[in-house]
Amino acid sequence: MNKPFIPLKSLADGQRWVEKSINEVEESSTSIARGNARIGAVKAFVGLYRLAMDYAKLAIRGARVKELDGLVKLEFSPPSQETK
C-alpha cells in the first residue's frame, strides 16, 4: 500500500509529523520498537534544527535557496559588512 506524500511546508509541520508518528506507536509494541521510535523521533528533531542552523549560516554569508527560505522561514537581517 502506497502512503500519500506528506508535504512539509515548514519546520513546524515536520515537528508535528514527528510527534504524530511517535504517538502512533502502540502500547502493545515491543519495548525495542518503542525505543526505536523514540530514537527516530529525536534524530528527526535534531535533523530539522540542524537544517535550520546550517541554512542560517549560509544565509548570513549571502547564499539563498528559495525552497529552503520557505521551509525554514528565517527571520533575521544579515549583519552589515563593515570593515574595521
Side-chain angles (χ1 to χ4, degrees):
M1 179 167 119
N2 291 336
K3 295 198 175 201
F5 176 70
I6 301 172
L8 302 178
K9 296 189 185 339
S10 69
L11 291 180
D13 290 342
Q15 292 169 348
R16 283 191 294 275
W17 184 76
V18 169
E19 289 172 4
K20 180 179 177 270
S21 65
I22 193 70
N23 289 332
E24 289 178 354
V25 176
E26 298 177 1
E27 289 296 322
S28 62
S29 300
T30 65
S31 61
I32 293 172
R34 285 192 305 265
N36 288 344
R38 288 185 188 114
I39 290 169
V42 169
K43 286 181 178 181
F45 272 116
V46 170
L48 290 169
Y49 287 115
R50 184 176 291 158
L51 172 68
M53 292 300 295
D54 288 345
Y55 185 64
K57 290 175 189 175
L58 289 172
I60 287 173
R61 291 184 176 94
R64 291 290 186 158
V65 178
K66 186 176 105 177
E67 291 81 11
L68 284 176
D69 272 342
L71 178 70
V72 178
K73 295 190 187 322
L74 295 176
E75 303 215 0
F76 71 95
S77 58
S80 61
Q81 300 295 327
E82 296 176 9
T83 57
K84 294 182 179 180

